[in-house]
Every structure is written in C-alpha cells, then in structure tokens.
Amino acid sequence: MARRRKRKSRRRQEGRRILEHVPQYSIESGEDKPVTAARKFIQAEGIAPPALLLVKRNEHTTDRYFWAEKGLFGAQYVEENHFLFPSLRVLENPPEKELVAAHR
C-alpha cells in the first residue's frame, strides 16, 4: 500500500521562511535540560529578541526555540503562529517605499 504524503501547512511554511531571517545560535545542552540551557545561554550572552536557538540535546536530537519579547517559545509554535509576534511582522512585510524605489 502506497503511503500518502503529509500535507504541508502554508501558514507554517510562511513562518519558517520568516524565521530564516532571524539570528540563529547553536549550543549544546550539556547536563541541563534543553530549555534550561537555552535560558542560561540567553542570560549569559545578553541576546536581544528576536533570535532562534538550536539546542543540541544529543547526537540525534536538536530542539529549536524562539526568543521573543514575551519569552521563550518552541520554534514550531512560532512557525504556525508567526502573526502573533510583533518582532516578526517587520520581517514578514518589507517596507513598500523601498520596493517602489528599487523598481525605478
């Protein structure tokens, strides 16, 4: 029996495209849980939102978190609900004045 392909959510794909423009940091979780390691890294480095943190849990698993003004979120949630985050709205719609000037 042939397997059906999983349908890709347009909203999530759009969110993923937007997150590509956010600074990314790759860290290892070490002895801490991944979310604790992400919080400690943000505190130690003084990272300003928005940022995407890739926390390597072990050789096979990497957890993705999004650092926003409102706190730390799972990256998948942010991809699906990117419109709820004001810092991503700037990346979503580039200023139209620059687009008009570029076409002249």
Side-chain angles (χ1 to χ4, degrees):
M1 191 165 123
R3 287 186 57 175
R4 293 185 61 196
R5 288 183 128 182
K6 189 172 181 182
R7 186 180 164 276
K8 290 193 176 181
S9 162
R10 281 201 180 134
R11 191 163 84 178
R12 184 154 175 220
Q13 284 180 318
E14 179 65 24
R16 190 171 275 253
R17 260 192 303 278
I18 292 169
L19 284 183
E20 286 175 357
H21 302 290
V22 172
Q24 289 188 10
Y25 301 90
S26 295
I27 62 172
E28 303 240 351
S29 64
E31 294 294 314
D32 295 320
K33 292 181 180 179
V35 71
T36 306
R39 290 184 185 283
K40 285 182 178 178
F41 182 77
I42 290 166
Q43 185 72 32
E45 300 294 321
I47 296 171
L52 195 62
L53 285 98
L54 307 173
V55 184
K56 193 168 173 93
R57 192 186 316 176
N58 57 41
E59 63 179 289
H60 304 292
T61 310
T62 301
D63 293 325
R64 298 167 57 238
Y65 297 102
F66 178 73
W67 175 234
E69 299 85 4
K70 303 172 187 177
L72 196 61
F73 296 86
Q76 184 173 338
Y77 172 80
V78 176
E79 286 172 357
E80 293 169 359
N81 300 289
H82 56 87
F83 48 85
L84 297 176
F85 296 88
S87 59
L88 294 179
R89 287 196 192 125
V90 176
L91 299 171
E92 185 177 15
N93 298 321
E96 292 181 23
K97 291 179 183 176
E98 292 178 19
L99 292 175
V100 172
H103 291 293
R104 289 184 181 175

